[in-house]
Structure formats: C-alpha cells, structure tokens
Amino acid sequence: MRDWAAQDPDPRTRAELTTWIERAEQGDPAAAAELADAFAGRLQFGTAGLRGRMGPGPNRMNRVVVSQAAAGLGRYLARTGAAAGRVLIGYDARHNSERFARDSAEILAGAGFEVLLTAGPVPTPLVAYGIGHFGCAAAVVVTASHNPAADNGYKVYLGDGCQIVPPADAEIATEIAAVAEVPLGELARSPRYRLVGAELAEAYLDRIATLVAAAAPREVRWVYTPLHGVGAATVRQAVARAGFPAALEVAAQAEPDPDFPTVAFPNPEEPGALDLALELARTEGVDLVIANDPDADRCAAAIEQDGQWRMLRGDELGVLLGDQALRRGVQGTYAASVVSGSLLGRLARAAGQPYVTTLTGFKWIARTPGLVFGYEEALGYCTDPAAVRDKDGISALIRLLALAAELKAEGRTLADRLAEIEQEHGVYATDQLAYRVADLSLITGAMARLRADPPTTLLGEPVRFVDLAEGGALPPTDAVRLGGASVTVTVRPSGTEPKLKCYLEARSPVGSANPLDRLKAEVQGLVDGYLDVVR
C-alpha cells in the first residue's frame, strides 16, 4: 500500500492513502474496511470502460489507474493495427477529469499516437461525433455520466464510432494488467498532443442545424436544465443554429459544478432531480421541460397533462421520437434494447420498417446494421446515427423541440400524440424498479436465487422464464426475462451503478384498466424476497 502511495503523482491521493493507513494501524475499523476495498483488486475494465469512486488504490479512479488504462489502450491499438493512429480525448467537468484526460493524452502521445485533446470540458456526443470527423482510430471520454459526484469514469470508443464490446474490452483489460507490472514512472509520456476546440464544436453544430427542415415550425416555449453538467453551452448554440427560441434555464443548475449541489444524484431518472425545472415550468407556463444528464448524452422530458406536470418515461420519449422519424418517412432499421418497451417495434412493423431488439447499452444498439433510430429506456436516444453512433442528448433535444413545435402549430401537444398512439396500438405501460445496494454480493445472490426459483406466473398469467445468460437470439448477458401474453419483466444488474434493476411492461387495450401498478407491486414483493434470502 505504501508502494502505491509512493508512485501516485497526486499529492492529495497520497495523503489520503497515508491517512487511511495510519488510522487502520491505530485500530480504526472504517479505515481498515476502506483500505481493504480499495486494494481488493483492480477496478474492472469492461464494456463501459472504467467507472468508480475516486481515491487511492487499484480499485479506485486515480491517476495511476487512468495512466495504466491509457497505456493498455495504446498497446491494444498498436497490436490490432492502429499504431500511430489518431486518438481523440475529451472530458467532462467532474473533479480530476481534466487531469485524467491530460495524463491519457501524454501517455498515448508517448506511445506514438497522434492525440487530439479537447480544449475544455465537452459533452460526450461531441467526442463520439469527432471520431468520424477527425478519422480517429479510437476515442476516450473521461466522464462518470450521471453517477454521484464522488465517481469518475473512462469511456472508450473504437474507430467505428461505437463504444467497445467483447472481446475488445477483455483484450484491453489484459493489456492494462500487463502495464500494471511496469512502474508508473517508466511509462513513456509526451506533451506533443494537439488541443481541439472550435473546429470540433462548429462541425457538430453544423450537423445539428441540418436536423430540422427549414420550413418546419419553430414556436415552442420550454425550460432546460443540464443538471450542473457540461451541456448548456452546446445546447444554447445548437438551439440557436436550429432556429428555436432560447430556453428558460434553471439558473442554479445551468453551469458546470462537479459537486452537483442541488441534487442528491445528477441523474434525470432519480426522484427530485427535476424539481427545480418543474417549479420553473409551473411558474412560467411553458410547453415542456427538457433535461440533459451531466455529460449530455441522455435526454429527459416532462410535460403537463391534465393540469399536472410529469416526467415522460424513457419508453414514452423513445416512442415519440421513433414515431416522429417514421412519420417523416425515414427508412431503415429501428432498434431498442431488451430492457426497453416493445411499442416501438409495433410502430416500425406497422410502417413496414425492420425492427431489432439488442442487448442493453448503446454499444449494441449503435452496431445495428442499417440503423436509423435507436433508443433505450434509460433516456438514451440515437436520432442521427450517421453522425453519432451513440446516444446523444443534444440531437435528441433538437428533435424533441421540433416535434413539440410541430404539434403546437397543429393545436396539439406531446400528450395528445401519445394518446393517439395508444388509440391505434393499445396501452403499453412501462416502469422500473431499482434496488441500490452497498454490497454487490446482494445482487449476485438475488440473481442466483431468481434463476434457481423463478416465478411461473405473474398476475395469475403464465410466464415463460428465459435466462439471457445462456445466449440464443442475443449474445449471453447477465439478465433474465419473464414474458407472458400481456406482461414482460426483465431483471439485470446495472452496468454502471451498484443497482439491481427490474424493467416492467404491461399491455392492455385502450379503455381497460392497465395492470402495471399491480405488476409492480407483485415484482417488488418477489425481489424483496430474493434479496432477503441473501442478506
């Protein structure tokens, strides 16, 4: 442990580790537990790259771990034929993000790559766009997206513009493990990287301006919050380029703040995250509320319906945006992940367009051949895959403004359009249960219990149990699905947070009582039982 402290170049991290060691030696059990966890193993490099708490030790996000990740990525790229290629690196406004990004730039430049580093914090979609714009072999974004303030992360893309998938993740992890045997001071570094700023932003904004037809309506009144993230500056410019009125911004959340002082969790899905935005909407009498998460790759919306403001579920917004594309006559493949609702598939097939269900995550959605629109219920939308092969909260925001303005010009609202879709196709109600835990073994145990003793009915209806870990139509993944004639439940561990997630869908004819609330209560009882067994 003291050897680790000696090699970490961050004096604050070294001091933190020294304090933990001293307190543990004095018999402090909390310090001993923190040390044990920080050195329990390496922070796992997977298909989301790295993500975790910042702090000292190999199981935390710090300059040692990030430097080794950059060096391992460089070795992987060189081994797979991208030696001396171009790598784009961007970062958000979290604590240490810029330092982690500069470490990565120096190490990859030292390994012989042509490195482009963003001149300041940027939304993740700009980096995803920049891969194709600059002809990159790979890209890195230092971000923890919507995770708590104590976290940071390291997202990796390859030259196809998509996030990494197996086996690339395991192969990069192997290279990182090999690099970890080399003292940090022996890793080659170089300051010869290039800063990119206006060129990237202007190219992305030029693309955004093409998303809305010149003759389309533009009148819409709206509230916006970036939740203390990096989205506001780009959103302001994108909205102006596309010709929409500027938003009424939530002033307390408009500028980047790595401490996220007004929210418990900087995730639009979390209860309370949009309270300030909804309060402003009620005061100002607007048409809708839009939010981005802190790195602006997700988009959330709230609408007024029957005199009350409510947040749209991710599936509802996905259906609205997908329906918008279908009505515009966009031809190609539509896609959603296995944890998302099934209504988009019904809409696509009714319009004569192919539809694909993928594994969870945009690393899979974006790889769908012929993709023209894809979404995931966790507020991720790929509305312009020819430019950004990932979820993009800014282009989704522009598409949503266009839809709201179009409907407003016709005397209708987003709520009206949802009701029209229901009248034509039936009610597809979705919801989610999420169990946040401190001990990940609880999730492992609950999943094992569910596989060993799954329910055979839900709401009295027979359901078929499918273990998605066994593969089949989709590659193997750690999830299970219970499907019946009118209900579907998918259960999986979160890939980015210490949560067990249950995704629910209940289908019913228009005019009949939808059983979603009853389904939610029954599934909650089941999962509570599985968790209790392993506590």
Side-chain angles (χ1 to χ4, degrees):
M1 293 181 185
R2 294 188 186 277
D3 290 343
W4 181 279
Q7 72 170 328
D8 194 313
D10 188 334
R12 293 169 300 179
T13 308
R14 292 200 304 271
E16 184 179 359
L17 179 56
T18 299
T19 299
W20 285 355
I21 293 172
E22 291 174 351
R23 287 172 50 194
E25 290 174 345
Q26 294 166 5
D28 184 338
E34 188 70 40
L35 277 176
D37 187 63
F39 286 85
R42 291 196 62 82
L43 193 62
Q44 185 176 359
F45 190 95
T47 51
L50 295 170
R51 193 175 295 186
R53 285 170 51 198
M54 288 179 281
N59 200 30
R60 298 285 187 267
M61 285 292 295
N62 51 63
R63 291 184 66 186
V64 177
V65 166
V66 167
S67 296
Q68 292 168 344
L73 173 61
R75 287 171 56 129
Y76 168 82
L77 293 173
R79 181 172 58 77
T80 54
R86 184 176 288 173
V87 179
L88 175 62
I89 300 174
Y91 58 95
D92 66 12
R94 286 176 179 263
H95 293 297
N96 291 330
S97 285
E98 181 177 5
R99 183 63 264 176
F100 292 164
R102 288 189 179 273
D103 280 336
S104 298
E106 292 171 2
I107 286 174
L108 285 165
F113 292 90
E114 181 187 354
V115 177
L116 308 179
L117 175 66
T118 60
V122 296
T124 292
L126 266 71
V127 179
Y129 172 83
I131 298 168
H133 178 72
F134 290 118
C136 296
V140 171
V141 186
V142 180
T143 179
S145 188
H146 57 280
N147 276 38
D151 290 2
N152 215 320
Y154 201 80
K155 183 182 293 188
V156 176
Y157 298 80
L158 295 180
D160 60 0
C162 299
Q163 297 178 48
I164 55 172
V165 294
D169 56 342
E171 293 174 6
I172 296 171
T174 298
E175 298 291 356
I176 293 171
V179 167
E181 301 299 318
V182 179
L184 193 64
E186 295 182 14
L187 295 180
R189 289 177 178 257
S190 171
R192 301 187 64 145
Y193 53 83
R194 178 163 68 92
L195 296 179
V196 294
E199 177 186 354
L200 175 59
E202 287 298 312
Y204 177 80
L205 292 168
D206 285 345
R207 177 70 185 194
I208 286 286
T210 70
L211 298 183
V212 185
R218 298 296 202 280
E219 183 185 344
V220 62
R221 185 170 166 81
W222 60 297
V223 164
Y224 173 68
T225 176
L227 291 180
H228 301 292
V230 297
T234 304
V235 164
R236 291 170 194 145
Q237 296 176 75
V239 167
R241 292 282 186 96
F244 292 102
L248 299 170
E249 294 184 359
V250 178
Q253 299 173 336
E255 300 305 324
D257 187 329
D259 295 317
F260 307 106
T262 68
V263 292
F265 293 97
N267 181 351
E269 291 182 290
E270 293 283 348
L274 297 190
D275 282 357
L276 293 179
L278 294 176
E279 181 181 339
L280 183 58
R282 295 185 190 101
T283 302
E284 296 293 337
V286 299
D287 299 309
L288 77 160
V289 171
I290 304 180
N292 288 132
D293 67 339
D295 70 328
D297 65 350
R298 300 182 188 220
C299 180
I303 61 172
E304 188 176 18
Q305 188 170 15
D306 301 325
Q308 300 292 323
W309 279 91
R310 73 172 183 90
M311 183 172 164
L312 290 173
R313 296 210 57 79
D315 286 312
E316 290 178 305
L317 185 48
V319 164
L320 284 169
L321 292 173
D323 171 67
Q324 178 193 38
L326 289 164
R327 289 189 296 111
R328 291 200 329 267
V330 177
Q331 296 187 358
T333 302
Y334 291 71
S337 69
V338 69
V339 298
S340 303
S342 61
L343 179 54
L344 177 63
R346 183 178 179 114
L347 294 177
R349 287 187 288 269
Q353 298 304 310
Y355 174 79
V356 171
T357 299
T358 75
L359 289 181
T360 307
F362 270 82
K363 56 186 174 284
W364 300 108
I365 295 172
R367 284 184 162 81
T368 300
L371 181 71
V372 292
F373 174 79
Y375 92 93
E376 187 156 78
E377 62 79 40
L379 306 178
Y381 309 96
C382 182
T383 70
D384 187 21
V388 177
R389 299 187 66 184
D390 196 9
K391 56 186 177 293
D392 181 351
I394 298 172
S395 66
L397 178 151
I398 296 298
R399 297 282 198 196
L400 181 57
L401 289 177
L403 175 58
E406 171 196 327
L407 293 169
K408 185 174 183 177
E410 297 170 352
R412 297 185 295 156
T413 66
L414 295 170
D416 292 334
R417 183 58 196 150
L418 284 171
E420 291 164 2
I421 293 171
E422 282 190 357
Q423 285 294 326
E424 184 174 357
H425 298 284
V427 178
Y428 286 64
T430 63
D431 205 346
Q432 183 188 127
L433 292 169
Y435 296 78
R436 185 180 292 272
V437 300
D439 181 358
L440 290 176
S441 68
L442 292 176
I443 293 177
T444 303
M447 291 296 294
R449 176 72 174 178
L450 176 56
R451 286 185 166 103
D453 186 23
T456 57
T457 63
L458 288 172
L459 301 182
E461 173 184 310
V463 291
R464 187 168 74 95
F465 174 82
V466 177
D467 189 347
L468 298 178
E470 296 176 356
L474 297 172
T477 188
D478 187 11
V480 301
R481 171 167 272 203
L482 301 162
S486 63
V487 298
T488 303
V489 176
T490 305
V491 184
R492 64 180 281 271
S494 169
T496 58
E497 300 177 271
K499 286 182 178 180
L500 180 68
K501 290 188 171 184
C502 306
Y503 305 86
L504 319 175
E505 180 176 84
R507 301 171 290 277
S508 61
V510 174
S512 63
N514 188 277
L516 181 65
D517 288 342
R518 292 190 294 119
L519 176 64
K520 187 174 181 179
E522 184 169 336
V523 172
Q524 187 165 5
L526 287 168
V527 176
D528 284 347
Y530 292 135
L531 284 170
D532 282 340
V533 168
V534 297
R535 280 184 175 134

